[in-house]
Amino acid sequence: MLATLGVVTSLTLGAALTGSPSQAQAAPEQTLVSRATTKAFAVTSAVVFNRNAASITDPRSPWVVVNKKRPLNPPQLRASARIRTDQLRVAPVAAVGASKAATKMLATYQAETGRRMQSQSAYRSYATQVSVYNASVRIRGVAATDKIIARPGTSEHQTGWAIDVSALPSNCSLSTCFANTHQGKWLSANAWRFGFLLRYPANKVAVTGYSFEPWHYRFVGPYLTTEMRRTGFTTLEEFFRLPAAPSY
Ligand SMILES: [Zn+2]
């Protein structure tokens, strides 16, 4: 267990909820979500999903949609502005918190399989994204880089809601072959339980603007991942009826 903690303490996803549910506005689904856990989250037919329960433009919202057509505002989201989920109307769900959800996901994987995985990269500052992007441009050029790394000001990693996961010990890190690893397969099948979405699916490059990234998971909360599973949507752009973002 200590070893596990050693792995996950490097997580720098959005901060966990610090406010109380009473700060949130009452919403019809409040009763449902207050029973939510990362392990078991059931949606009954009596509950209508509320698409307006969280903002898709506010970077503090776990539903924020950031892509090549939807840059962050401001682009240089400061670390101190990192996620406070206590202002969300879906507070009982957000109470899980992205960091807690990621920690729980990694720990559950180890508990269920006896294997391990780790956070390769999570929150990045604007300056870090500049470094990552420019380093890739020097190696690959702009066109190839734009398929795999977001330009500064348009990265989900800057919001604190995204995490790149890798196997431990490392195997196919940040490579498409991660999809075929035990860890990659497990994430693909189970990440939704913890509120994480495979953000860049292989068959949605024209929608997301990014190559298949089986390691990149985006926290949107189990309320939304459950609804996306139920309705069959696999990208935020399509679910929220937004334009595709194949290019800048
Ligand atoms: Zn990533």
Side-chain angles (χ1 to χ4, degrees):
M1 193 58 201
L2 280 174
T4 304
L5 289 172
V7 171
V8 297
T9 48
S10 62
L11 285 172
T12 49
L13 283 165
L17 176 76
T18 52
S20 68
S22 62
Q23 289 175 299
Q25 288 182 21
E29 66 280 10
Q30 191 100 2
T31 309
L32 169 76
V33 295
S34 65
R35 290 198 298 267
T37 69
T38 54
K39 218 163 191 180
F41 188 87
V43 171
T44 69
S45 57
V47 176
V48 177
F49 185 86
N50 180 3
R51 285 176 175 275
N52 301 314
S55 172
I56 61 170
T57 56
D58 186 341
R60 295 170 302 181
S61 164
W63 292 4
V64 66
V65 183
V66 180
N67 61 33
K68 291 173 179 176
K69 301 291 190 196
R70 296 172 59 88
L72 284 165
N73 185 21
Q76 300 196 35
L77 197 65
R78 290 177 300 125
S80 59
R82 242 185 317 159
I83 319 306
R84 285 178 61 85
T85 51
D86 51 347
Q87 295 172 23
L88 298 171
R89 281 181 284 169
V90 286
V93 166
V96 173
S99 294
K100 283 186 179 176
T103 303
K104 178 81 175 170
M105 183 166 72
L106 270 54
T108 301
Y109 174 68
Q110 183 169 4
E112 291 185 357
T113 71
R115 301 172 189 239
R116 300 167 73 193
M117 52 187 172
Q118 62 189 329
S119 166
Q120 184 83 21
S121 175
Y123 169 75
R124 292 181 204 147
S125 68
Y126 182 89
T128 299
Q129 191 66 24
V130 168
S131 302
V132 171
Y133 182 81
N134 288 348
S136 176
V137 167
R138 282 193 290 274
I139 297 169
R140 304 179 180 89
V142 171
T145 294
D146 282 343
K147 291 176 183 168
I148 57 174
I149 297 173
R151 292 182 185 178
T154 67
S155 174
E156 285 198 328
H157 285 281
Q158 288 179 252
T159 68
W161 294 121
I163 182 172
D164 293 338
V165 183
S166 65
L168 188 71
S170 290
N171 179 20
C172 287
S173 296
L174 307 182
S175 300
T176 50
C177 63
F178 178 69
N180 301 320
T181 65
H182 193 276
Q183 287 82 354
K185 289 177 182 173
W186 189 90
L187 281 173
S188 174
N190 293 282
W192 72 273
R193 293 161 51 196
F194 305 89
F196 283 89
L197 174 71
L198 174 70
R199 184 66 175 92
Y200 306 120
N203 62 345
K204 296 292 179 179
V205 176
V207 174
T208 66
Y210 290 100
S211 302
F212 179 37
E213 292 195 357
W215 61 87
H216 180 107
Y217 280 83
R218 163 64 197 277
F219 184 80
V220 294
Y223 183 43
L224 180 51
T225 54
T226 300
E227 179 68 2
M228 289 180 75
R229 253 172 84 86
R230 189 184 71 79
T231 54
F233 286 100
T234 57
T235 68
L236 296 178
E237 286 81 4
E238 292 168 304
F239 182 83
F240 287 113
R241 303 187 188 101
L242 298 169
S247 61
Y248 290 97

